[in-house]
């Protein structure tokens, strides 16, 4: 197994721990993956060299995209995510946010759970204001 840092540096303590577990570290920048259909065959680096690979696990950068939060004037966290309280309220009254736009935890399960929670809070607030469903 090899950890490819894509040009990032790993400190000596981390490098030692990985080495003790038989894991190599390659700090070269990655430019492409060589695929055969859907199968990974190798990783190509900026120096032109290849590292043979049978599987690749990626950690792509996650960041909120789209103009809506800024168009609504929503406050952001330091990481750029929409700032919410524990009940999914944003900095703008009446606007709720949840899921990937509010957390670095990028997973379908987390987003779905947050969506359910935000919907429940919104429903509770609407009922509290006297809103009722029509039959």
């Amino acid at each position: 197994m090899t950890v490819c840092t894509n040009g990032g540096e790993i400190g000596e303590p981390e490098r030692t721990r990985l080495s003790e577990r038989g894991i190599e570290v390659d700090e070269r920048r990655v430019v492409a993956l060589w695929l055969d259909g859907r199968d990974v065959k190798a990783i190509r680096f900026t120096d032109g060299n290849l590292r043979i690979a049978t599987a690749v696990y990626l950690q792509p950068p996650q960041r909120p995209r789209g103009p809506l939060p800024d168009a609504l004037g929503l406050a952001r966290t330091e990481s750029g995510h929409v700032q919410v309280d524990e009940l999914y309220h944003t900095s703008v009254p009446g606007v709720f946010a949840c899921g990937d736009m509010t957390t670095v935890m990028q997973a379908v399960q987390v987003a779905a759970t947050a969506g359910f929670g935000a919907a429940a809070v919104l429903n509770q607030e609407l009922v509290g204001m006297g809103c009722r469903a029509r039959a």
Side-chain angles (χ1 to χ4, degrees):
M1 181 180 296
T2 303
V3 172
C4 296
T5 68
N6 195 29
E9 295 181 12
I10 291 184
E12 201 52 45
E14 293 83 8
R15 186 181 295 276
T16 299
R17 281 195 297 268
L18 291 169
S19 178
E20 288 170 352
R21 290 163 178 81
I23 301 171
E24 292 181 51
V25 175
D26 191 324
E27 294 180 342
R28 294 177 291 174
R29 292 196 62 72
V30 176
V31 293
L33 298 178
W34 175 28
L35 305 175
D36 182 10
R38 294 178 64 172
D39 296 328
V40 175
K41 296 297 180 185
I43 301 167
R44 182 177 304 280
F45 297 95
T46 54
D47 62 11
N49 290 319
L50 294 174
R51 178 178 285 274
I52 303 302
T54 56
V56 176
Y57 299 93
L58 303 172
Q59 185 181 3
Q62 300 290 334
R63 65 185 192 287
R65 295 182 181 94
L68 187 58
D70 291 333
L72 294 174
L74 303 179
R76 302 282 192 125
T77 64
E78 197 171 291
S79 64
H81 293 84
V82 174
Q83 186 174 356
V84 293
D85 65 13
E86 65 279 356
L87 296 177
Y88 309 98
H89 298 105
T90 67
S91 59
V92 176
V95 177
F96 294 76
C98 61
D100 291 355
M101 71 181 337
T102 64
T103 179
V104 297
M105 297 292 295
Q106 305 286 304
V108 171
Q109 300 89 334
V110 173
T113 301
F116 179 81
V121 170
L122 175 58
N123 182 66
Q124 182 181 15
E125 289 188 13
L126 289 172
V127 169
M129 292 172 20
C131 296
R132 298 285 184 259
R134 294 184 193 197

